[in-house]
Structure formats: structure tokens, C-alpha cells
Amino acid sequence: MGRKLVVVRHGERVDFTFSDEWIQNCFDANGKYSKKNLNMPDAVPNRPKPIDFLQDCPLTQIGSLQGNLVGKGLREENILQPGFQVYVSPALRSIETAAAILSGMGYSDYKIKVEPTAFEWTGWYSKAMPTWMSPEALAENGFEIDTSYVPLIPASELKSDEPVEEYYDRSFHLVKQLLEKDDNDLLIVGHGSSLDTMTRQLLGFPKRNFREMMNVLLSGSANFNKPLPQLNC
């Protein structure tokens, strides 16, 4: 059986579902969280300030369910062989999706490697980059994180407003490095654009420019005239 590379987009996110106002609606003056809708998470990780969720939000209940169902599908179809490695964008929504997928697979204690190189195009963040939780803080909040993992690049080296072509090169470099690292199957949980940027050059196609990438994101794929779903493989 051939080696498998599975690239997954995160599940449904709170801010796209309830807008950025969810923060002021769900946190009191002391920073205590309470859900205001059945689709909001029951709890959120402890962070220094609620505003840290502004560009780094959690999943909705539906988003977590999406991840769990994908995990069940991967298990039932025997897609990933024992020993597979999990690499995840530092975005909280991607980390929570990875945890939900692994739970659906029956691997709730499987270690996740946080890899900043897997983050989405930083052109979405022209003013400032998100404030991510450190691997240690994620582990303290109950996520199964490999805190000994040394990423290809530290989060501090990701700069805002990178050209799209550099984003494709960054994503391709990550996949090549991980494929060369060992012979295990790979599960990478990233973002909507990751499905294209991490695989396109691997398949021998040229990287896209901004307009071409946006066409893919808005159409869902080169062949389907519909937006990418919140969780896609």
C-alpha cells in the first residue's frame, strides 16, 4: 500500500459563524466565558486576554463534530497506517480540528506537532499577526501536544502580508521536508488554501498567483462552482 498524505482544512469556526462580536458577548468584565448559543463551544482555552481570540478563534460545536466525523471516516476506511504523524497549523481552530479528528479515530492521546509553516497565507493579516497559544500553553489546556517538537520555522519568523507565491513555496517546502523526514503517513491540518498550496507543486503543477488562488478558494476547486466547505480534505 502506498504512503498517504492527508491535508485537511479546519472545521467551522466561531468568528465566521457569530462574527467577532462573539468575544464581547461571551466574556464578562473578568474574562469569564459563557456560551450564548448551542453552537458555541462549552468552554474555551484559558488565555491571558479574551481579545487573543480575535484572530485565533475556536471551533463551533458543529466544527468539532465535523472533525470527529472525518476521524471516523479515516478510521473506517483505514486511510492512515499506524505510526502516522500529525502536523498542525498554530491556529487554535486547526489544533481543535486535529484533536477532534484523532478522537474520531480513537486516538485521543495521540501527540500533535504544532508547525507554524502550516499556517495560512499571511496576506490576510496585513495589520498584525495573530497571537497564538504556545505548545506548552496548549498542553496545559488539555491538548495532546508534542512539546519537544522543533518546528521548521518558529512562529516569530512568519511575517504578515507575504506574496502569494511565497506562501505556495512555504507550503511546498513544508511538505517536502516532512516527506523526507521519515516513511510514515502524514496528516496535516491547516486551512482552506492548504489543500492547494501543499499539494499543487508536489503534483508537478506551477504555483498560483493571487487571482488564481482566490478563484480556487471561492469556487471550491477548479471543477466545482461552490465555495470550499468549512472542513475539507
Side-chain angles (χ1 to χ4, degrees):
M1 182 178 292
R3 188 179 182 190
K4 304 284 182 24
L5 166 64
V6 178
V7 181
V8 183
R9 182 189 189 181
H10 59 78
E12 183 182 81
R13 49 194 285 183
V14 167
D15 57 354
F16 279 16
T17 306
F18 297 102
S19 83
D20 288 337
E21 293 183 1
W22 78 275
I23 296 176
Q24 66 185 57
N25 291 335
C26 295
F27 289 91
D28 64 18
N30 297 316
K32 183 179 179 180
Y33 169 81
S34 60
K35 63 187 294 185
K36 304 300 183 183
N37 185 284
L38 288 175
N39 193 26
M40 287 181 169
D42 293 328
V44 296
N46 293 318
R47 305 183 80 161
K49 305 182 297 294
I51 197 65
D52 290 340
F53 288 105
L54 182 61
Q55 295 189 101
D56 189 34
C57 73
L59 295 178
T60 62
Q61 296 278 0
I62 289 175
S64 296
L65 175 62
Q66 290 171 327
N68 192 267
L69 290 174
V70 167
K72 289 180 178 179
L74 292 173
R75 180 192 65 202
E76 290 172 3
E77 296 298 325
N78 198 30
I79 300 297
L80 295 169
Q81 300 305 303
F84 67 92
Q85 300 295 303
V86 185
Y87 297 89
V88 183
S89 161
L92 178 60
R93 57 192 181 274
S94 299
I95 292 165
E96 290 187 339
T97 300
I101 289 173
L102 290 169
S103 177
M105 295 181 72
Y107 293 122
S108 297
D109 59 349
Y110 214 85
K111 294 296 184 181
I112 295 170
K113 298 176 174 64
V114 179
E115 178 51 68
T117 317
F119 187 59
E120 66 182 340
W121 179 48
T122 64
W124 303 124
Y125 305 89
S126 58
K127 294 182 180 180
M129 293 293 288
T131 300
W132 294 306
M133 298 177 68
S134 68
E136 291 75 18
L138 288 165
E140 289 173 1
N141 276 274
F143 293 99
E144 293 293 338
I145 304 295
D146 182 354
T147 56
S148 67
Y149 174 68
V150 179
L152 296 183
I153 61 171
S156 60
E157 288 190 14
L158 283 179
K159 304 303 180 183
S160 63
D161 218 11
E162 69 183 332
V164 163
E165 292 80 6
E166 289 185 12
Y167 170 44
Y168 271 84
D169 285 339
R170 166 163 63 86
S171 301
F172 181 41
H173 175 69
L174 168 64
V175 173
K176 285 200 304 181
Q177 291 291 104
L178 296 182
L179 288 172
E180 293 171 358
K181 195 170 184 179
D182 57 48
D183 296 325
N184 294 310
D185 289 347
L186 298 176
L187 170 61
I188 304 177
V189 183
H191 304 266
S193 53
S194 304
L195 279 66
D196 191 57
T197 62
M198 291 187 183
T199 60
R200 183 169 175 80
Q201 293 179 83
L202 192 67
L203 296 173
F205 296 103
K207 54 194 172 187
R208 301 184 195 272
N209 58 33
F210 172 76
R211 177 175 295 182
E212 292 169 338
M213 184 184 77
M214 290 305 298
N215 283 340
V216 170
L217 291 176
L218 294 175
S219 67
S221 75
N223 301 313
F224 297 94
N225 187 25
K226 59 183 179 180
L228 279 172
Q230 282 290 337
L231 195 151
N232 202 358
C233 302

